[in-house]
Amino acid sequence: MNNRTLIILKPDSVKKNVIGEILSRFEKENFRIAALKMLSGSKELFEKFYEIHKDRPFFSELVTWMSSYPVVAAILEGEDAINRVRQIVGATDPNEAAPGTIRKIYGTSKGENAIHASDSWESYLKESAILFPEGVCFAG
Ligand code: IDP
Ligand code: MG
């Protein structure tokens, strides 16, 4: 399966007041928003979410930052969603991201890079179970 993915508009995007702009970009790229919420996640929630990075030097900074301010999480539905959304999102470091990608437009640093997007179907299943345990609100 590859027709859904999960994104998080990170604290920097919410602070910059570009939630609508970024969601609109995905709608224009033919994705449907299948679930959507704003949340203030705890450190524990983001420790679980980013568990794969627990031994990386930036882990503590990342978890503290993600839990420091509200974020917006969404499940996007569309053909080849995982790969297409990662392309639209761009490289982790906004300085290295291709022109026109969300991280190039809105990101400021490798840490504060505007948006998260699932990197595989397995990641999507894990991430959506954490952030949307109630499931999607809409399909099709
Ligand atoms: P990705 O989000 O492009 O998949 P990952 O390497 O999986 O990038 O890292 C997860 C998140 O951790 C990044 O989006 C970024 O917010 C943060 N991060 C990654 N590398 C660094 C770093 O070197 N310094 C600070 N934060 C980082
Ligand atoms: Mg990643």
Side-chain angles (χ1 to χ4, degrees), residues 53 86 116-117 119:
H53 297 306
R86 291 279 291 192
H116 165 88
D119 64 4

Side-chain angles (χ1 to χ4, degrees), residues 10 50 53 56 58 61-62 65 86 90-92 103 110-113 115-117 119:
K10 295 181 177 182
Y50 280 119
H53 297 306
R56 307 280 288 277
F58 57 82
E61 184 192 342
L62 175 63
W65 180 60
R86 291 279 291 192
T92 307
R103 283 172 168 167
K110 203 170 179 188
E112 302 205 1
N113 59 2
I115 185 167
H116 165 88
D119 64 4

